[in-house]
Amino acid sequence: MYIDQILYPIESLGPGKRMAIWLVGCHRGCKGCSNPELWSTEGHRDVPVSAVLQTIHEIHQENQIDGFTITGGEPMEQAEELLALILGLRQISRDILVFSGYRIEELLKRKGAFSMILENIAVLVDGAYCEELNEQLPLRGSSNQRVLLIDTTFAEPYADYLRQEHSPTQNMYFDGVTTSVGIHRKEFRDELKQKLQKYGVRSVEDG
Ligand code: SF4
């Protein structure tokens, strides 16, 4: 599967200390997308799902992982691999949140792994990103998107998380590179890049 990065612990993309996984590949081309560097799979390695799962299980042996957030890119563009990943992650936590630009109604009409994916996750955040509707809401890049609770056993932690007025963000710095995780204001990316350049620090999308 085409995967960009795995980060842990992430507290700005769902309740608890989560592992966030960014998949590569998206043909949707939303205006103002915060991760255009993840549209093309060119230059990214195709990693076996089993290898990704092995790494995650090793991290889990020494760390409490409360849940997983899978984003990208468009995770549904690698549906077969995504399903295999989700089934493996469920051995650690059933709290699996997936972001998709497709609405659930579209996904349910499709043949293939889509319905199985939806049966095995806790939450789907669905719908196209619309820059004009970016209100920095928790878990929603734009207010037209929906947070759909599929596994109701997770109703309480998600209800608490969504009560926040704005999405929390989390900044990380390692190996001379900085990254900021969460739902950001639409101006955030350019502002951050300018500030970092002043101090000679690279951001993740600089490569
Ligand atoms: S679906 Fe997501 S990754 Fe793809 S272009 Fe839209 S916002 Fe960007």
Side-chain angles (χ1 to χ4, degrees):
M1 78 187 316
Y2 291 99
I3 184 162
D4 180 57
Q5 63 176 348
I6 295 175
L7 291 178
Y8 171 87
I10 294 299
E11 298 179 61
S12 52
L13 288 174
K17 281 192 169 47
R18 310 179 71 83
M19 180 173 280
I21 303 167
W22 281 261
L23 301 188
V24 183
C26 181
H27 288 88
R28 297 186 59 88
C30 307
K31 181 175 147 248
C33 169
S34 58
N35 295 324
E37 70 279 7
L38 302 186
W39 289 1
S40 170
T41 55
E42 222 178 286
H44 290 270
R45 239 170 15 110
D46 190 1
V47 185
V49 176
S50 57
V52 177
L53 284 169
Q54 191 183 332
T55 303
I56 293 171
H57 277 276
E58 282 168 15
I59 296 170
H60 170 57
Q61 275 167 16
E62 297 190 2
N63 299 279
Q64 171 68 37
I65 301 175
D66 296 324
F68 296 94
T69 295
I70 304 175
T71 182
E74 170 52 63
M76 297 296 174
E77 291 200 5
Q78 303 183 70
E80 297 293 337
E81 293 84 353
L82 176 62
L83 176 59
L85 178 69
I86 286 167
L87 294 177
L89 296 180
R90 280 176 66 90
Q91 294 169 14
I92 298 172
S93 170
R94 288 186 299 109
D95 179 359
I96 301 173
L97 181 160
V98 175
F99 283 92
S100 176
Y102 298 99
R103 284 171 78 91
I104 196 168
E105 294 83 355
E106 296 172 74
L107 295 170
L108 286 170
K109 277 188 209 150
R110 291 191 183 183
K111 292 205 172 82
F114 301 102
S115 55
M116 283 276 284
I117 290 170
L118 296 170
E119 279 167 27
N120 283 285
I121 62 176
V123 170
L124 177 75
V125 180
D126 80 346
Y129 173 65
C130 178
E131 189 178 31
E132 291 72 26
L133 298 177
N134 179 339
E135 295 168 26
Q136 211 199 341
L137 300 171
L139 295 183
R140 293 190 288 158
S142 52
S143 56
N144 59 307
Q145 295 176 326
R146 302 177 297 185
V147 180
L148 304 173
L149 186 70
I150 293 169
D151 184 340
T152 53
T153 53
F154 296 103
E156 210 177 301
Y158 278 91
D160 284 346
Y161 190 86
L162 292 168
R163 255 179 228 122
Q164 300 172 95
E165 196 177 341
H166 290 296
S167 171
T169 56
Q170 195 175 343
N171 301 320
M172 300 174 132
Y173 179 75
F174 50 86
D175 239 4
V177 177
T178 187
T179 187
S180 186
V181 179
I183 308 288
H184 297 93
R185 288 178 296 115
K186 56 178 188 261
E187 304 81 10
F188 172 82
R189 190 181 165 97
D190 291 339
E191 289 173 3
L192 178 70
K193 213 165 174 174
Q194 281 170 14
K195 276 188 197 152
L196 291 175
Q197 275 167 358
K198 257 199 219 161
Y199 297 105
V201 179
R202 289 186 300 127
S203 55
V204 160
E205 72 267 21
D206 293 333

